[in-house]
């Protein structure tokens, strides 16, 4: 009988990190690195990128260099590794000379497996000479998109990595990023000379996140409701302006919620303090502009609320992506205001830079199509990134069963008359002037608006002028977009984003075909039944809540004592797993995800004591 082969990678995963399974592509990436080859890894936020270099770093004989742009994160990462008994250190401008010296001493003695470096440090004179004296296993480049000027977060210092590649041609490079655009990817490959590298691209689906978009009616009340269903759980609320973050935070505090504002108008010292309080669970809710997020590694953010419209779909994906990195069910809610959307549209139409207007207009259209659309949120989000959503069995599907549109499909209304009005308005304006117009202008005509442009073009003479007064402007914009989705209208993106009637639209108009459209977005409260269904879809499992809460309380104490964020002691996922298993002996804790050898030895007894109470 052949013995099963000893699986060193899996064993190290279990012993050092306490995980018994890999997240998608982690294993493939780790093995490629162990084989000494260059790798480009694209994993979504929460995909577990850190492990992709931390694990091989432990298994290879030399030192692993990790280049990371976020100084604040380095310390967290190193603290987390030390908690797991892994020898790690960092060098950046935040250290005193004494501390740097200590680190160098340990490095020369070969006492460190993983060294975090800021890219600026690489540029320090003589740095590469010193590194040459150490035995490098490989270089991991975290947030590799920072090297690309096409990316949203270009850091010129990252170009220093070219020198590393030149100086150490034989040392493999592992580039990691959550940024998926093709252009950025090509840039990374060019800059780091990753021509031989295998590319690993994970699905960008975040199976544990739920998406919900509701009309913004009374925002504070709506926000309080969401927070109310997340007792003592962390959340982020994104707002468009600094003033709004302050106002919302103040409102929440007055209702007894522990909330703080965060925006670029605060001093960096103050920002750091607030961020630290959030990471350490001293502040429950961060009300922030988009200045907040990069550099937040907090894995147990349970909800992300958009108080205002995000900039575009990509930003929405990144911002909601900060929820639920630990894999536990977490929710993303957008409070949608169609009048905000209409205001934004007018603002964009008035931009003078043609290129900027075009890009912004297109991004807004796609965002609104997404926000107001009746398609499954997950399907349409992934579709935006060119990915087809597949169910667990790997079959393409159009429903996720966990978003608002899947759980509470919107009612359809008879929109025949509406459609007739709009389609003929588009046609008549075109016929009258000899060219086509944007949706905003068409709605102006329908609403009987008295803006200058209408008069100048003589569009107040059209029979459809003022024919749509029975609906609001926002409703007309919405129905216009729905007609685009239905294929009766088309937006000509190549030509000033004007709307045109399609052949199908012409037929509909001629034959007076019945048109059914989804009613505009409604506030969709989920019944308990539906909520349960949703949690199951998101991968929630049963556990004893009493025990879980006791364990959390215990964790707070330990974290305080050690001066570390609570999640670094144990993640919520681990505590829930313990509360589900209710072990009687220390040894039974071994199989629990997130408990490696070091943590078992450190905390095993204490956990059993808590359970025994
Ligand atoms: P990313 O950098 O890709 O956003 P992280 O490396 O921060 O993701 O990992 C996110 C969370 O997932 C962390 O809390 C980490 O401990 C956890 N994690 C990573 N890999 C696994 C795994 N194989 N099993 C369970 N949890 C994991
Ligand atoms: Zn869905």
């Amino acid at each position: 009988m052949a013995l099963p082969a000893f699986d060193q990678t899996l064993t190290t995963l279990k012993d050092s990190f306490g995980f018994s399974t890999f997240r998608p592509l982690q294993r493939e990436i780790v093995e490629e690195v162990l084989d000494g080859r260059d790798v480009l890894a694209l994993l979504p936020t929460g995909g577990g990128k850190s492990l992709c270099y931390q694990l091989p770093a432990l298994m290879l004989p030399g030192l692993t260099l990790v280049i990371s742009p976020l100084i604040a994160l380095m310390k967290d990462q190193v603290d987390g590794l030390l908690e797991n008994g892994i020898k790690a250190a960092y060098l950046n401008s935040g250290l005193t000379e004494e501390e740097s010296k200590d680190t160098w001493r340990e490095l020369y003695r070969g006492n460190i497996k993983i060294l975090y470096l800021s890219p600026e440090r690489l540029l320090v004179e003589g740095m590469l000479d010193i590194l040459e004296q150490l035995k490098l296993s490989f270089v991991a480049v975290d947030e590799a998109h920072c090297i690309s000027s096409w990316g949203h977060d270009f850091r010129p210092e990252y170009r220093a990595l070219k020198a590393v590649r030149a100086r150490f041609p034989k040392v493999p490079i592992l580039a990691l990023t959550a940024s998926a655009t093709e252009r950025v990817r090509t840039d990374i490959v060019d800059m780091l000379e990753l021509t031989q590298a295998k590319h690993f691209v994970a699905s960008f689906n975040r199976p544990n996140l739920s998406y919900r978009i509701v009309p913004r009616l009374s925002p504070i009340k709506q926000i309080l409701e969401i927070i109310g269903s997340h007792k003592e759980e962390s959340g982020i609320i994104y707002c468009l302006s600094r003033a709004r973050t302050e106002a919302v935070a103040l409102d929440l505090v007055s209702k007894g919620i522990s909330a703080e504002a965060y925006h670029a108008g605060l001093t960096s010292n103050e920002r750091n303090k607030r961020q630290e309080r959030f990471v350490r669970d001293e502040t429950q809710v961060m009300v922030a502009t988009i200045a907040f997020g990069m550099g937040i590694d907090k894995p147990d953010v349970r909800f992300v609320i958009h108080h205002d419209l995000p900039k575009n779909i990509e930003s929405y994906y990144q911002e909601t992506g900060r929820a639920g990195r630990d894999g536990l069910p977490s929710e993303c809610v957008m409070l949608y205001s169609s009048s905000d959307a209409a205001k934004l549209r007018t603002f964009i139409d008035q931009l003078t830079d043609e290129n900027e207007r075009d890009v912004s207009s297109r991004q807004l259209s796609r965002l609104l199509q997404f926000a107001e659309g009746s398609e499954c949120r997950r399907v349409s989000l992934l579709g935006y990134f060119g990915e087809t959503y597949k169910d667990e069995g790997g079959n393409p599907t159009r429903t996720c069963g966990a978003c608002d549109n899947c759980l509470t499909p919107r009612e359809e209304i008879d929109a025949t008359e509406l459609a007739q009005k709009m389609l003929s308005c588009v046609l008549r304006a075109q016929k009258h002037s000899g060219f086509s117009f944007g949706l905003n202008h068409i709605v102006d005509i329908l609403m009987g608006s008295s803006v200058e442009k209408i008069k100048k073009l003589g569009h107040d003479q059209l029979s459809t002028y003022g024919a749509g007064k029975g609906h609001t402007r926002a409703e007309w914009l919405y129905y216009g977009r729905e007609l685009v989705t239905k294929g009766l209208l088309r937006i000509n993106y190549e030509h000033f984003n004007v709307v045109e009637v399609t052949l199908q639209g012409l037929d509909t108009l001629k034959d007076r075909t019945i048109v059914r459209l989804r009613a505009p977005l409604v506030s969709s409260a989920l019944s308990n039944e539906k909520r349960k269904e949703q949690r199951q879809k998101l991968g929630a499992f049963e556990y004893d809540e009493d025990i879980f809460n006791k364990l959390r309380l215990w964790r707070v104490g330990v974290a305080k004592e050690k001066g570390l964020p609570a999640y670094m002691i144990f993640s919520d996922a681990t505590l829930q797993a313990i509360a589900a298993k209710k072990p009687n002996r220390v040894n039974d804790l071994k199989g629990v995800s997130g408990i490696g050898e070091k943590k078992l030895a450190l905390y095993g007894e204490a956990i059993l004591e808590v359970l025994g109470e």
Side-chain angles (χ1 to χ4, degrees):
M1 194 178 74
L3 281 169
F6 178 62
D7 189 338
Q8 182 69 50
T9 318
L10 196 63
T11 309
T12 313
L13 179 74
K14 181 77 209 131
D15 291 349
S16 298
F17 298 92
F19 301 142
S20 40
T21 54
F22 286 99
R23 293 232 172 115
L25 295 183
Q26 276 182 333
R27 185 183 192 101
E28 290 81 349
I29 294 165
V30 168
E31 280 173 358
E32 192 75 2
V33 173
L34 288 174
D35 283 344
R37 285 189 284 269
D38 289 339
V39 176
L40 175 62
L42 289 95
L43 265 59
T45 305
K49 283 184 282 297
S50 319
L51 195 112
C52 294
Y53 56 81
Q54 290 169 350
L55 187 54
L58 292 184
M59 298 173 68
L60 291 167
L63 170 74
T64 293
L65 216 53
V66 182
I67 310 300
S68 164
L70 302 157
I71 293 183
L73 268 191
M74 278 184 196
K75 182 170 185 316
D76 282 356
Q77 293 260 5
V78 168
D79 284 347
L81 286 167
L82 294 173
E83 249 317 279
N84 275 324
I86 297 163
K87 292 174 193 143
Y90 64 94
L91 285 171
N92 63 33
S93 48
L95 291 180
T96 63
E97 197 158 325
E98 199 59 32
E99 289 168 325
S100 285
K101 267 201 191 125
D102 280 352
T103 303
W104 279 115
R105 199 171 320 120
E106 291 301 297
L107 278 167
Y108 282 126
R109 287 183 185 152
N111 283 345
I112 288 173
K113 288 304 292 179
I114 304 179
L115 177 68
Y116 285 81
L117 268 185
S118 59
E120 297 86 346
R121 270 285 153 138
L122 283 174
L123 290 169
V124 170
E125 171 117 11
M127 190 58 161
L128 296 181
D129 299 328
I130 301 180
L131 289 175
E132 207 157 41
Q133 297 169 37
L134 301 167
K135 185 176 164 25
L136 296 185
S137 296
F138 68 99
V139 178
V141 181
D142 206 2
E143 315 281 356
H145 58 274
C146 290
I147 206 169
S148 166
S149 52
W150 292 112
H152 48 84
D153 196 33
F154 175 48
R155 310 233 170 178
E157 318 86 76
Y158 256 61
R159 298 282 158 99
L161 285 163
K162 283 177 82 116
V164 174
R165 173 103 278 192
R167 189 69 169 270
F168 304 100
K170 293 223 168 68
V171 175
I173 289 183
L174 161 61
L176 304 132
T177 175
S179 175
T181 64
E182 191 62 44
R183 210 159 198 181
V184 171
R185 205 194 303 187
T186 322
D187 245 16
I188 297 173
V189 169
D190 287 350
M191 295 282 168
L192 297 175
E193 290 172 47
L194 295 178
T195 42
Q196 306 293 315
K198 207 163 169 177
H199 295 197
F200 293 91
V201 185
S203 163
F204 275 66
N205 179 33
R206 300 286 309 277
N208 58 315
L209 300 191
S210 71
Y211 301 96
R212 192 150 60 95
I213 302 180
V214 297
R216 193 178 74 213
L217 303 172
S218 41
I220 294 298
K221 193 168 155 249
Q222 289 170 298
I223 289 171
L224 283 172
E225 230 169 71
I226 298 166
I227 298 178
S229 62
H230 292 278
K231 290 239 154 50
E232 286 176 51
E233 292 179 336
S234 302
I236 305 174
I237 302 174
Y238 280 109
C239 301
L240 205 57
S241 68
R242 297 174 185 181
R244 178 87 48 100
T245 62
E246 301 276 1
V248 171
L250 216 62
D251 266 343
L252 292 179
V253 169
S254 77
K255 302 279 185 210
I257 305 290
S258 134
E260 283 198 278
Y262 185 104
H263 54 74
L266 300 165
T267 64
S268 80
N269 186 24
E270 187 58 32
R271 283 205 307 266
N272 288 342
K273 273 199 219 151
R274 293 187 184 191
Q275 172 168 331
E276 184 86 1
R277 284 198 284 267
F278 179 67
V279 169
R280 288 170 190 260
D281 298 321
E282 288 156 21
T283 303
Q284 187 195 357
V285 181
M286 198 64 121
V287 190
T289 61
I290 52 170
F292 183 72
M294 259 294 267
I296 306 300
D297 237 356
K298 191 169 170 49
D300 50 6
V301 173
R302 290 277 90 86
F303 60 94
V304 168
I305 300 174
H306 278 86
H307 182 287
D308 301 294
L309 214 52
K311 192 160 156 250
N312 51 42
I313 295 192
E314 176 123 31
S315 315
Y316 175 74
Y317 177 80
Q318 295 296 347
E319 284 148 23
T320 52
R322 294 181 184 130
R325 281 179 181 224
D326 56 7
L328 292 183
S330 305
E331 79 172 320
C332 312
V333 184
M334 190 200 293
L335 304 180
Y336 179 76
S337 150
S338 51
S339 63
D340 272 7
K343 268 184 232 153
L344 208 55
R345 167 67 70 196
T346 311
F347 171 76
I348 288 173
D349 283 349
Q350 286 164 355
L351 287 174
T352 44
D353 182 311
E354 199 174 306
N355 188 36
E356 193 191 349
R357 186 177 61 222
D358 248 33
V359 171
S360 307
S361 173
R362 196 171 320 186
Q363 286 187 344
L364 180 65
S365 299
R366 305 222 37 183
L367 180 66
L368 300 188
Q369 203 87 43
F370 167 72
E372 294 183 332
S374 46
E375 193 180 19
C376 165
R377 307 290 185 197
R378 198 178 303 275
V379 167
S380 93
L381 206 48
L382 290 177
Y384 179 81
F385 297 107
E387 189 180 329
T388 309
Y389 174 56
K390 303 201 178 80
D391 61 18
E392 289 108 89
N395 301 309
T397 162
R398 308 291 303 169
T399 51
C400 76
C403 70
D404 57 340
N405 281 339
C406 284
L407 288 167
T408 47
R410 301 222 300 273
E411 196 192 335
E412 276 200 339
I413 54 164
D414 182 342
T416 313
E417 203 182 308
L418 271 164
Q420 292 280 335
K421 278 185 186 162
M422 184 157 248
L423 295 175
S424 63
C425 188
V426 172
L427 280 181
R428 286 191 186 161
Q430 197 263 339
K431 206 161 157 211
H432 182 92
S433 300
F435 47 87
S436 304
F437 298 87
L439 188 57
N440 230 5
H441 182 73
I442 298 299
V443 172
D444 274 340
I445 303 176
L446 286 166
M447 296 296 291
S449 152
S450 54
V451 295
E452 178 81 17
K453 192 174 169 192
I454 300 247
K455 297 227 176 79
K456 224 164 61 197
L457 290 160
H459 285 176
D460 48 356
Q461 305 303 314
L462 298 176
S463 62
T464 46
Y465 180 74
K469 283 188 174 160
H471 294 276
T472 64
R473 188 183 167 74
E475 280 168 352
W476 274 115
L477 288 170
Y478 165 76
Y479 287 119
R481 284 188 286 275
E482 280 295 288
L483 290 171
V484 173
T485 311
K486 278 257 160 165
L488 305 187
L489 283 177
R490 169 177 57 160
I491 293 180
N492 190 339
Y493 288 114
E494 267 68 61
H495 193 74
F496 308 116
N497 302 324
V498 297
V499 284
E500 296 160 349
V501 179
T502 61
L503 284 179
Q504 193 191 340
L506 286 176
D507 286 344
T508 305
L509 201 55
K510 200 166 75 232
D511 305 339
R512 290 200 69 84
T513 319
I514 298 217
V515 179
R516 297 188 66 79
L517 295 180
R518 299 272 179 200
L521 208 57
V522 287
S523 200
S524 57
L526 286 185
S527 63
N528 281 341
E529 205 94 308
K530 292 269 182 200
R531 198 168 278 280
K532 214 168 148 198
E533 193 181 318
Q534 181 186 50
R535 289 186 62 79
Q536 260 162 16
K537 282 270 181 201
L538 300 177
F541 57 88
E542 298 291 324
Y543 59 90
D544 185 318
E545 285 200 31
D546 261 4
I547 297 184
F548 175 60
N549 288 332
K550 274 192 193 140
L551 287 168
R552 281 183 88 184
L553 213 60
W554 165 78
R555 184 179 63 178
V556 170
V558 179
K560 276 248 162 68
E561 207 171 284
K562 292 211 152 189
L564 291 175
Y567 73 78
M568 242 176 236
I569 308 300
F570 285 115
S571 71
D572 282 358
T574 299
L575 296 191
Q576 285 183 10
I578 299 171
K581 194 170 177 179
K582 302 184 197 169
N584 294 317
R585 296 170 308 156
V586 171
N587 238 355
D588 296 343
L589 282 168
K590 258 189 176 164
V592 173
S593 173
I595 306 187
E597 283 182 343
K598 173 88 189 283
K599 288 196 174 168
L600 187 72
L602 271 179
Y603 304 118
E605 296 287 352
I607 293 174
L608 280 194
E609 251 172 60
V610 177
L611 290 172
E613 279 168 19

